[in-house]
Amino acid sequence: MGDLKQASLLQQIKIVLCQTSHPGNIGAAARAMKTMGLQQLVLVQPKEFPSQEALARSSGALDILDNAQVVSSLQEAVEDCRLVIGTSSRSRTLPWPMVEPREIKNIIEKEPSALPMAIVFGRESSGLLNEELQLCHYHVNIPANPDYMSLNLAAAVQVICYECRLLALQQESSLHSGAEVDSEADDSERKATIQQTEGLYQHLENVMIETGFFDPQEPKLLPARLHRLLAKAQLTEAEVNILRGFLASMNKHIKYHTVNKESGEL
């Protein structure tokens, strides 16, 4: 029973690599995942995949590569996830919740309904873009030697996957002691997926444009600040539905007054 629980957790964690330049790093990342029991690898616009070099560097983790999903954007990669953690060497533009790898355990324990989740790794040379980091609830930083912080992509994946495995092993131990997370919780109280949260953001942005509050030609930091606000809130599905219902009522109100104004009734 413990093995099933461990598999359940690890199977709900995606490792997402964005625009990986060197196919060997994809293979090495797959190897790192398999040694820790993770299975879901998602590749966002890899420069070269499939690749013989990736196969060679995987050292037998062929099943991870064979089942790897290739997508065109980070949003597509994580749209079904309820928790997204992006690797980042520093805060970009705006301060964002920053954690160390060991704190991932605390985050999942605090919000057990925030699964499935994704841990996102950026390009070898430049990491994640600001707009990609905005899709993340947290940014994770590996506290490497400040005098030499050149951590290889696969090595970073190994560090994070190790922490995920420790959490899975801890949950297995908890099962033996009789402690188990309630899996029958009301779906509406589950954390919203990225797709649901982004739908809310787009709805909110449209209303702000209609009211003249937001000018998309001069966005400044408003989109980033709103994404940070939604990420920090970690809304449930029910809360997203409430807010979208309110925004829909605003749309109707705006449309009603616009029609009456045009017809001269106001």
Side-chain angles (χ1 to χ4, degrees), residues 248-264:
S249 72
M250 289 187 67
N251 285 130
K252 290 181 180 178
H253 184 76
I254 293 167
K255 183 177 181 180
Y256 171 79
H257 282 274
T258 300
V259 169
N260 285 343
K261 184 176 181 180
E262 289 175 351
S263 63

Side-chain angles (χ1 to χ4, degrees), residues 10 80 82 96 106-107 136 146 162 186 204 226 229 253-254:
L10 296 179
D80 63 332
R82 302 176 191 277
W96 218 271
N106 298 331
I107 293 169
C136 304
Y162 171 70
D186 182 359
L204 179 59
L226 287 174
L229 185 154
H253 184 76
I254 293 167

Side-chain angles (χ1 to χ4, degrees), residues 3-18:
D3 291 340
L4 289 175
K5 184 65 178 179
Q6 178 181 335
S8 176
L9 171 67
L10 296 179
Q11 287 172 1
Q12 292 186 81
I13 300 176
K14 293 183 181 182
I15 297 298
V16 182
L17 309 183
C18 291

Side-chain angles (χ1 to χ4, degrees), residues 23-257:
N25 285 334
I26 296 175
R31 177 182 182 180
M33 291 173 60
K34 186 160 186 176
T35 60
M36 295 296 119
L38 282 82
Q39 302 175 8
Q40 291 194 68
L41 175 62
V42 184
L43 306 173
V44 180
Q45 294 185 353
K47 183 175 182 180
E48 183 182 347
F49 187 81
S51 161
Q52 286 301 317
E53 186 176 356
L55 291 175
R57 290 285 302 279
S58 73
S59 296
L62 303 183
D63 54 331
I64 306 294
L65 295 179
D66 287 343
N67 293 313
Q69 181 183 7
V70 179
V71 298
S72 60
S73 69
L74 178 57
Q75 184 163 341
E76 182 182 354
V78 302
E79 64 181 6
D80 63 332
C81 295
R82 302 176 191 277
L83 176 66
V84 180
I85 301 176
T87 54
S88 176
S89 60
R90 66 185 187 280
S91 180
R92 316 281 185 91
T93 308
L94 289 172
W96 218 271
M98 181 75 74
V99 299
E100 293 185 3
R102 194 136 294 182
E103 294 178 80
I104 294 174
K105 164 182 168 291
N106 298 331
I107 293 169
I108 297 176
E109 286 178 334
K110 181 181 176 182
E111 298 292 351
S113 69
L115 292 170
M117 67 174 288
I119 303 174
V120 184
F121 297 81
R123 301 149 190 79
E124 292 96 330
S125 59
S126 57
L128 292 169
L129 304 176
N130 285 332
E131 52 266 33
E132 293 168 337
L133 286 168
Q134 288 171 16
L135 288 173
C136 304
H137 297 96
Y138 296 91
H139 297 171
V140 63
N141 174 254
I142 298 174
N145 177 3
D147 297 325
Y148 187 72
M149 298 185 70
S150 180
L151 191 64
N152 175 266
L153 173 61
V157 171
Q158 186 75 77
V159 170
I160 299 296
C161 289
Y162 171 70
E163 293 298 336
C164 292
R165 183 161 188 82
L166 289 183
L167 175 58
L169 292 172
Q170 178 182 304
Q171 288 196 350
E172 177 185 356
S173 178
S174 296
L175 271 180
H176 290 307
S177 66
E180 187 167 2
V181 175
D182 180 14
S183 61
E184 302 299 326
D186 182 359
D187 284 345
S188 67
E189 292 307 311
R190 295 190 68 182
K191 295 300 177 184
T193 65
I194 291 298
Q195 185 177 45
Q196 291 166 336
T197 304
E198 280 299 298
L200 170 62
Y201 170 78
Q202 291 299 328
H203 199 163
L204 179 59
E205 183 178 280
N206 290 338
V207 171
M208 291 191 301
I209 292 172
E210 281 192 73
T211 62
F213 182 79
F214 175 60
D215 181 358
Q217 300 303 316
E218 295 185 17
K220 299 182 181 178
L221 288 177
L222 184 58
R225 291 185 187 279
L226 287 174
H227 274 101
R228 182 178 64 171
L229 185 154
L230 295 176
K232 289 168 67 176
Q234 293 193 48
L235 299 169
T236 66
E237 293 183 359
E239 290 165 342
V240 167
N241 290 336
I242 290 170
L243 291 172
R244 293 205 65 173
F246 170 68
L247 292 172
S249 72
M250 289 187 67
N251 285 130
K252 290 181 180 178
H253 184 76
I254 293 167
K255 183 177 181 180
Y256 171 79
H257 282 274

